[in-house]
Amino acid sequence: DVKVTQSSRYLVKRTGEKVFLECVQDMDHENMFWYRQDPGLGLRLIYFSYDVKMKEKGDIPEGYSVSREKKERFSLILESASTNQTSMYLCASSLTGSYEAFFGQGTRLTVV
Amino acid sequence: QKEVEQDPGPLSVPEGAIVSLNCTYSNSAFQYFMWYRQYSRKGPELLMYTYSSGNKEDGRFTAQVDKSSKYISLFIRDSQPSDSATYLCAMSAQAGGTSYGKLTFGQGTILTVHP
């Protein structure tokens, strides 16, 4: 059974903190993605990676960075958390040439 | 204007009803069209996938794509309470092979099917 695992379901952080969201997939997928999901806005792409150490900005990269040191792991970093980054964060992975993205359960981040 | 527009609802229907969910889009380069279903407190899962224009049927679900109108639909026949979820349309412009699978999503429609 395919699996994308996000390290936390719920997180509460303070404004200004550096926040790490971790994602691991066990399907040997080349591509990994970070989205945020907000009511009325749907899923918006923050960053994606198509290979180890490779990354590209998505539609809303400001305030975020990513790291992919191993194929199975993709980390999202909030350099200095702000209240407008309170959201549901979803990690996904896919095989190159496939349009099926497999999603993790999501991390609901609250920044206070 | 968003590249993909989807009525967020919420939509509430009785069990057994036919449900119609729709998305419009502005990017004529989109060629791959998907519907994802997301249950509460879960990540989205692929429900239907269609390439270019046409219809595709899978059990009670039918996906339609009209590229000339830039309009896609998902129909659910004989809806069940277990169909209650958020339905997200998603689209991609990139061809296969070197595709990175980048998807552009609609806002999602919250559907409730009540017994």
Side-chain angles (χ1 to χ4, degrees), chain B residues 10-81:
Chain B
L11 187 61
S12 181
V13 302
E15 183 175 355
I18 296 173
V19 176
S20 172
L21 305 170
N22 310 295
C23 289
T24 59
Y25 63 94
S26 57
N27 187 346
S28 57
F30 286 142
Q31 297 184 63
Y32 301 87
F33 304 92
M34 286 136 280
W35 287 95
Y36 279 78
R37 179 173 59 193
Q38 184 178 22
Y39 290 115
S40 181
R41 291 185 291 278
K42 301 279 190 181
E45 292 180 313
L46 183 66
L47 182 62
M48 299 280 287
Y49 159 71
T50 310
Y51 170 69
S52 194
S53 285
N55 292 2
K56 187 172 185 178
E57 191 172 318
D58 183 3
R60 296 184 295 109
F61 298 89
T62 300
Q64 287 186 352
V65 175
D66 182 348
K67 289 188 71 179
S68 63
S69 302
K70 296 190 178 68
Y71 189 87
I72 73 169
S73 300
L74 177 72
F75 297 96
I76 307 174
R77 290 187 301 279
D78 188 25
S79 57
Q80 302 295 309

Side-chain angles (χ1 to χ4, degrees), chain A residues 9 33 37 40 96 99 101 104, chain B residues 36 38 41 94-95 97 100 107:
Chain A
R9 292 295 304 273
F33 308 84
Q37 183 175 26
T96 294
Y99 292 91
Chain B
Y36 279 78
Q38 184 178 22
R41 291 185 291 278
Q94 292 171 295
Y100 302 140
Q107 294 92 321

